């Protein structure tokens, strides 16, 4: 029987077998072997370059997929069960990538095998995610007690939201927009997260293009960022071997000193930032970066077009290579002089800092982005899980492994920071940096001290490139699938639509590879997925927990796994998580400061454009509420009832039996 011909109602949740669905073991022998031997899925973080851990590894690792019709699954057989077992291992592998490439959004979802393709169109790997990114290095040093509120918020908000999105996608078998058949008036939330994912795609590919440029530049006997004898170097360039604290003066931190060979290679050799006076003076796209960006987009297009047929064959590289690199950096790092001081600074806890509100705000923001809820990734890829998959176990394992791996990988980072501080005779907080400065300046400089530095530079940037492309494929796929599920004409012309999205992101990304492109990238990174994504997830939590109902949601989970969520989870979903999100949204608005990049302060009009970008996605939520209400026939009460009642219960509205109009619905937990 063809999957397309399965005539099942939306109330039929029984498993069915789709003979057209192939397991990952049959597509990729490597994945099959890994699955068989396993014991067991993606940039705040969002300062200069954020890192949000969208752990869709677990969704990628499952073989089952949803058919063309909603609310059904295909059986993956024994191979599918083995693949599910590997999800936690893959997430462990993938979590590391965020640690190494947090500033570039390369994160936790990278490692696992992608989910099985649909019967009618192939699926590539999934989008981005993040864990404990480099953006908080300074927070860890300056605020010490950061880990305490971080762990607290992980337990009371991070895990519950993660669990909620997995269960929501797995039960309803829909993407970010169409999943809102459970409460039609909230469909604007789905469109909002799709638009946010599209915004992120505009500049995310640029970061991958940087990695590709660095990779090409690494194929030399002497890395180009090790000396001051290059055409892009300024007369004031300072050889790190001759550097000492007296060179800084005026309290300047080493991490902010822009005259080292590594810093000048990044800002003058790659970005050509010195040729721009600000965001008002962008200049033309750099042809070298344009070619790199074009290569990246072409790879993305054909990967999205071909799907898992090719991507599955290299997934074992993207899963294991980050750990190889981390292991090497960790072993080398802890043997370096000064490493102990760096690790000691990493583990130091100053309880007096808990009195500072900013510590709690930073932790709340960080844990949200760390697990990556709200970008539509968890929902979309969980919808490919087997219907009876234990997403509760997945949520606990994945979120825990994410944070534990991030914590452990911090030793590799801070051992290097300690070494750098020792070499230059400065304080550790003077070398701590965030965002691109860590990935494209400090780490390349550290790699240049390794024996065989050229080899390790090539390996490091191949890792960044591989993980970045894998992540970007997921982000673009979230946009393509989210809209194609909702508009059949786009699904019928998927290849043309995919080309349009890829080419469109390429054109808009050109603004980010001009001389002043870093200013555009910083603007997008700050506003495109900052307050707007927090707002979107807040509305998602309210829609599921209050309008759809925690009790009904718990019953859905019981149908899948045979047990209801405990009281703790239900309380978090209904009260704690929404309160947590509301707190972070309000604080992010109140604490907003005019945008800056190093010593450059963005003009007022640039900040207004940024807020316009943020509002363009947030406005979709109330706009769709108005649109939906105006397009439903009936009295005011009937319109309201149809808007907030699940589509498969609309017949109850005609009977006057609307549970949302009863007090018990709002009080039940």
């Amino acid at each position: 029987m063809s999957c397309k011909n399965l005539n099942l109602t939306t109330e039929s949740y029984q498993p069915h077998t789709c003979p057209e669905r192939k397991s990952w073991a049959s597509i990729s022998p490597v994945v099959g072997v890994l699955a068989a031997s396993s014991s067991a899925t993606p940039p705040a973080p969002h300062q200069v370059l954020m890192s949000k851990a969208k752990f869709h590894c677990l969704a990628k690792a499952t073989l089952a997929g949803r058919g063309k019709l909603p609310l059904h699954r295909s059986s993956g057989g024994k191979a599918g069960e083995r693949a599910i077992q590997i999800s936690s291992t893959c997430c462990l592998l993938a979590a590391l990538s965020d640690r190494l490439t947090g500033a570039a959004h390369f994160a936790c979802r990278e490692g696992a095998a992608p989910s099985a393709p649909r019967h009618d169109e192939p699926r590539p790997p999934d989008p981005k995610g993040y864990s404990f990114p480099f953006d908080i290095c300074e927070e860890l040093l300056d605020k010490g007690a950061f880990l305490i509120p971080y762990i607290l918020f992980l337990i009371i908000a991070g895990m519950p939201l993660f669990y909620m999105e997995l269960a929501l996608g797995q039960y309803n078998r829909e993407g970010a927009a169409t999943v809102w058949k459970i409460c039609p008036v909230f469909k604007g939330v789905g469109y909002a997260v799709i638009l946010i994912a599209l915004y992120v795609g505009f500049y995310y590919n640029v970061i991958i293009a940087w990695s590709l440029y660095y990779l090409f530049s690494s194929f030399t006997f002497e890395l180009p960022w090790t000396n001051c004898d290059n055409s892009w170097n300024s007369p004031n360039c300072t050889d790190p071997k001759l550097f000492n604290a007296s060179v800084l003066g005026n309290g300047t931190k080493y991490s902010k000193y822009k005259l080292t060979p590594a810093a000048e290679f990044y800002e003058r050799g790659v970005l050509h930032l010195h040729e721009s006076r600000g965001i008002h003076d962008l200049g033309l796209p750099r042809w070298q970066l344009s070619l790199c960006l074009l290569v990246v987009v072409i790879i993305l297009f054909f990967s999205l077009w071909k799907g898992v047929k090719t991507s599955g064959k290299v997934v074992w590289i993207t899963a294991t290579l980050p750990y190889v690199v981390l292991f090497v950096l960790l072993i080398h790092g802890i043997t370096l002089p000064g490493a102990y001081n760096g690790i000691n600074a990493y583990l130091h806890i100053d309880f007096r800092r808990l009195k500072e509100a900013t510590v709690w705000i930073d932790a709340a923001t960080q844990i949200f982005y760390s697990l990556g809820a709200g970008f539509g990734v968890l929902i979309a890829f969980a919808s490919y899980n087997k219907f009876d998959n234990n997403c509760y176990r997945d949520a606990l394992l994945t979120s825990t492994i994410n944070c534990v791996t991030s914590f452990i990988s911090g030793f590799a980072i801070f051992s290097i920071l300690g070494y750098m501080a020792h070499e230059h005779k400065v304080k550790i907080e003077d070398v701590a940096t965030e965002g691109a400065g860590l990935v494209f300046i400090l780490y390349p400089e550290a790699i240049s001290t390794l024996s065989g530095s050229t080899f390790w530079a090539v390996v490091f940037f191949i890792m960044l490139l591989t993980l970045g492309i894998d992540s970007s494929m997921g982000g673009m796929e979230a946009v393509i699938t989210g809209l194609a599920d909702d508009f059949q004409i786009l699904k019928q012309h998927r290849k043309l639509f995919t080309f349009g999205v890829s080419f469109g992101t390429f054109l808009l990304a050109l603004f980010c590879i001009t001389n002043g492109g870093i200013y555009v990238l910083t603007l997008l990174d700050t506003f495109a997925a900052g307050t707007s994504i927090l707002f979107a997830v807040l509305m998602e939590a309210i829609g599921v927990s209050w309008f759809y109902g925690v009790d009904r949601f718990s019953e859905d989970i019981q149908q899948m796994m045979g047990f209801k969520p405990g009281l703790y989870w239900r309380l978090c979903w209904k009260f704690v998580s929404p309160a947590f999100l509301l707190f972070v949204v309000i604080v992010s608005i109140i604490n907003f400061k005019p945008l800056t990049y190093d010593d450059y302060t963005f003009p007022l009009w640039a900040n207004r454009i940024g807020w316009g970008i943020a509002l363009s996605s947030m406005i979709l939520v109330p706009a769709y509420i108005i649109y939906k209400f105006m397009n439903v026939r009936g009295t005011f009460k009937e319109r309201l009832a149809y808007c907030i009642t699940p589509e498969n219960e609309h017949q109850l509205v005609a009977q006057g039996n609307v549970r949302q109009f009863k007090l018990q619905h709002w009080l039940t937990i």
Side-chain angles (χ1 to χ4, degrees), residues 235-388:
N236 296 323
C237 179
T238 305
D239 191 328
K241 298 177 182 178
L242 306 177
F243 188 90
N244 57 61
S246 62
V247 176
L248 293 176
N250 299 325
T252 303
K253 291 185 176 182
Y254 179 79
S255 60
K256 302 300 182 183
Y257 189 71
K258 299 299 183 180
L259 298 179
T260 63
E264 289 202 348
F265 177 77
Y266 173 64
E267 293 199 341
R268 299 174 66 91
V270 179
L271 303 183
H272 288 260
L273 183 59
H274 63 291
E275 298 181 25
S276 172
R277 294 171 296 169
I279 195 171
H280 63 285
D281 181 28
L282 296 180
L284 297 175
R286 307 299 305 183
W287 69 267
Q288 300 95 330
L289 292 179
S290 298
L291 290 178
C292 292
L293 180 63
L294 181 62
V295 171
V296 170
V297 172
I298 290 175
I299 293 174
L300 289 173
F301 170 69
F302 284 103
S303 298
L304 291 167
W305 186 24
K306 296 291 184 180
V308 298
K309 292 182 179 179
T310 54
S311 59
K313 293 180 174 60
V314 298
V315 69
W316 65 275
I317 297 178
T318 62
T320 57
L321 183 58
Y323 265 78
V324 174
V325 176
L326 176 68
F327 179 76
V328 172
L329 293 176
L330 177 60
I331 296 301
H332 180 74
I334 61 179
T335 61
L336 296 173
Y340 172 79
N341 294 332
I343 295 174
N344 183 60
Y346 177 52
L347 298 177
H348 174 70
I349 296 179
D350 185 357
F351 291 97
R352 293 174 297 179
R353 295 288 188 176
L354 291 175
K355 299 178 182 179
E356 300 179 10
T358 53
V359 175
W360 296 86
I361 294 170
D362 291 336
T365 305
Q366 178 59 38
I367 195 61
F368 170 77
Y369 285 103
S370 176
L371 295 178
F375 286 82
V377 176
L378 295 175
I379 294 176
F381 284 89
S383 68
Y384 285 80
N385 285 346
K386 294 174 63 177
F387 183 75
D388 57 355

Side-chain angles (χ1 to χ4, degrees), residues 128-204:
K128 28 183 183 331
Y130 326 140
S131 69
F132 227 39
F134 296 130
D135 298 339
I136 61 169
C137 282
E138 295 182 356
E139 306 298 338
L140 286 169
L141 284 171
D142 296 338
K143 299 186 175 72
F146 178 89
L147 289 175
I148 295 177
Y150 179 85
I151 295 173
L152 175 63
F153 287 136
L154 168 67
I155 296 173
I156 68 173
M159 284 184 175
L161 287 171
F162 194 90
Y163 182 18
M164 183 185 75
E165 289 206 354
L166 291 184
L168 188 65
Q170 182 171 308
Y171 182 83
N172 291 283
R173 327 304 288 165
E174 297 285 355
T178 48
V179 74
W180 287 105
K181 60 189 177 183
I182 65 172
C183 188
V185 76
F186 279 87
K187 193 174 183 180
V189 176
Y191 291 135
V193 299
I194 290 174
L195 181 59
I196 292 172
L198 185 61
Y199 284 154
V200 173
F202 292 159
Y203 67 90
Y204 189 76

